[in-house]
């Protein structure tokens, strides 16, 4: 992001009857483009002020640039950190409320026999895979710049480049399709793979960005905070999803053995995610594939 430099040259008059509107005004930025509002030349003294000077006429500046926020007071690091934390907590609460409302709505429809909760159709996995498949086409269309969607690009990419949609985000939905078609809900393998990719790798990125000052010695792009978060959140998300599906009756598990196996899969996925291979193989491919292999060997 470019830093714009603003300087204002203001001609002031000693007459008290002149309006306080600064005139003339010269706006400069790093491209050295100038826009000047011309006024009749007079022999009035000239005074250069920055927009943050205490003597600058605030009302005049707001009239000229009502969309700017130069008058906001800078916050200290602690206050900014608390603000970010509250913002994240609020976003989490909204997402949880929306997810719970969606599940509650489906439960209501199920109780009224409007929809079936458990489909026994062999084609159910293919219908379920249509959801990530639609997202796959959406990413392709916007990644190839056939259609421009700034909101999607800013929310999904890191650098604001549409071509980023054709990498990590696209690999992500492709792995979701693969897990749905190959394993569906009949095998712990698919459940664990999706949990490690979504919860484990997803939280690892967030925690690594916020608290990742201590880097792993063999990969300076990864942090201990991110790797530990991946193991912990991937493990608990996998166990939670396995318990949920076992309650629904899709498979029965020996939980003492299951906890050990899930811990092993989480460890393998965490190690793979921490390796310096991102430039060769994206995490959204390496993590789910490693999880699938480890879970398949563990659960069969």
């Amino acid at each position: 992001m470019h830093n714009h430099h603003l300087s204002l040259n203001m001609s002031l008059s000693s007459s008290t009857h002149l309006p306080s509107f600064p005139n003339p005004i010269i706006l400069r930025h790093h491209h050295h483009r100038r826009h000047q509002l011309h006024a009749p030349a007079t022999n009035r003294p000239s005074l250069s002020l920055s927009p943050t000077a205490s003597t600058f006429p605030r009302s005049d500046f707001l009239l000229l640039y009502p969309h700017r926020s130069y008058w906001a007071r800078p916050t200290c690091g602690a206050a900014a950190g608390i603000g970010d934390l509250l913002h994240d907590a609020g976003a989490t609460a909204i997402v949880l409320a929306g997810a719970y409302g969606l599940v509650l709505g489906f439960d209501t429809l199920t109780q009224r026999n409007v929809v079936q909760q458990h489909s026994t159709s062999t084609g159910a996995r293919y219908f379920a895979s249509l959801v990530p498949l639609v997202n796959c086409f959406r990413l392709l269309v916007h990644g190839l710049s056939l259609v421009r969607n700034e909101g999607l690009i800013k929310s999904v990419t890191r650098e604001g480049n549409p071509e980023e949609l054709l990498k990590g985000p696209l690999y992500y939905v492709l792995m979701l399709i693969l897990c749905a078609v190959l394993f569906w809900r009949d095998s712990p393998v698919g459940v664990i793979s999706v949990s490690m990719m979504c919860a484990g790798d997803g939280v690892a990125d967030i925690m690594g960005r916020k608290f990742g000052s201590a880097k792993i010695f063999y990969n300076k792009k990864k942090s201990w905070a991110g790797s530990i978060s991946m193991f912990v959140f991937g493990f608990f998300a996998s166990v939670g999803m396995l318990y949920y599906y076992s309650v629904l009756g899709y498979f029965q598990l020996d939980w003492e053995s299951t906890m050990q196996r899930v811990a092993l899969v989480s460890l393998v996925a965490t190690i793979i995610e921490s390796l310096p291979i991102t430039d060769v193989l994206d995490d959204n491919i390496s993590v789910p594939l490693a999880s699938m292999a480890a879970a398949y060997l563990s659960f069969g």
Side-chain angles (χ1 to χ4, degrees), residues 36-152:
Q36 183 171 358
L37 300 176
H38 297 284
T42 61
N43 293 325
R44 293 174 293 180
S46 179
L47 177 62
S48 296
L49 295 174
S50 71
T52 56
S54 59
T55 56
F56 189 88
R58 174 173 177 171
S59 59
D60 296 345
F61 189 83
L62 292 178
L63 286 173
L64 286 175
Y65 308 102
H67 62 289
R68 299 298 178 103
S69 57
Y70 291 104
W71 303 104
R73 294 182 178 179
T75 57
C76 62
I82 294 175
D84 292 340
L85 182 61
L86 292 176
H87 180 272
D88 293 342
T92 302
I94 292 174
V95 172
L96 287 175
Y100 181 77
L102 182 62
V103 173
L104 184 62
F106 272 104
D107 286 342
T108 303
L109 294 176
T110 301
Q111 293 172 1
R112 296 181 180 180
N113 295 323
V114 177
V115 296
Q116 267 190 323
Q117 185 175 5
H118 309 297
S119 174
T120 57
S121 171
T122 56
R125 66 182 66 201
Y126 301 106
F127 282 101
S129 64
L130 287 177
V131 176
L133 184 62
V134 170
N135 281 325
C136 179
F137 283 117
R138 184 169 177 242
L139 292 172
L140 284 173
V141 169
H142 291 89
L144 295 173
S145 297
L146 300 178
V147 178
R148 188 79 176 182
N149 187 333
E150 293 296 337
L152 174 66

Side-chain angles (χ1 to χ4, degrees), residues 8-257:
L8 297 173
N9 293 332
M10 185 169 58
S11 297
L12 302 177
S13 175
S14 58
S15 173
T16 57
H17 301 288
L18 290 177
S20 61
F21 191 86
N23 191 16
I25 294 176
I26 301 176
L27 177 64
R28 300 185 180 94
H29 54 68
H30 69 287
H31 290 301
H32 305 293
R33 291 178 296 183
R34 303 182 180 182
H35 305 279
Q36 183 171 358
L37 300 176
H38 297 284
T42 61
N43 293 325
R44 293 174 293 180
S46 179
L47 177 62
S48 296
L49 295 174
S50 71
T52 56
S54 59
T55 56
F56 189 88
R58 174 173 177 171
S59 59
D60 296 345
F61 189 83
L62 292 178
L63 286 173
L64 286 175
Y65 308 102
H67 62 289
R68 299 298 178 103
S69 57
Y70 291 104
W71 303 104
R73 294 182 178 179
T75 57
C76 62
I82 294 175
D84 292 340
L85 182 61
L86 292 176
H87 180 272
D88 293 342
T92 302
I94 292 174
V95 172
L96 287 175
Y100 181 77
L102 182 62
V103 173
L104 184 62
F106 272 104
D107 286 342
T108 303
L109 294 176
T110 301
Q111 293 172 1
R112 296 181 180 180
N113 295 323
V114 177
V115 296
Q116 267 190 323
Q117 185 175 5
H118 309 297
S119 174
T120 57
S121 171
T122 56
R125 66 182 66 201
Y126 301 106
F127 282 101
S129 64
L130 287 177
V131 176
L133 184 62
V134 170
N135 281 325
C136 179
F137 283 117
R138 184 169 177 242
L139 292 172
L140 284 173
V141 169
H142 291 89
L144 295 173
S145 297
L146 300 178
V147 178
R148 188 79 176 182
N149 187 333
E150 293 296 337
L152 174 66
I153 295 173
K154 291 180 179 179
S155 63
V156 178
T157 64
R158 295 180 179 179
E159 299 178 1
N161 187 353
E163 294 182 358
E164 291 183 64
L165 299 175
L166 303 178
K167 298 178 181 179
L170 181 60
Y171 303 150
Y172 187 93
V173 296
L174 288 176
M175 289 297 108
L176 291 179
I177 295 173
L178 183 64
C179 288
V181 172
L182 292 184
F183 303 106
W184 190 218
R185 61 194 177 196
D186 305 323
S187 170
V189 177
V191 175
I192 295 174
S193 300
V194 172
S195 298
M196 288 304 305
M197 181 176 64
C198 298
D201 194 21
V203 175
D205 181 68
I206 297 173
M207 300 300 288
R209 289 175 180 273
K210 286 186 173 292
F211 309 105
S213 57
K215 303 298 182 182
I216 299 176
F217 63 93
Y218 56 84
N219 187 1
K220 297 303 181 181
K221 293 182 179 180
K222 303 292 182 178
S223 65
W224 287 108
S227 293
I228 293 173
S229 299
M230 177 167 184
F231 178 85
V232 172
F233 283 88
F235 173 81
F236 282 107
S238 298
V239 171
M241 293 302 296
L242 288 176
Y243 179 77
Y244 176 76
Y245 278 95
S246 65
V247 169
L248 294 178
Y250 291 112
F251 38 73
Q252 299 298 321
L253 299 170
D254 176 13
W255 285 104
E256 182 178 354
S257 174

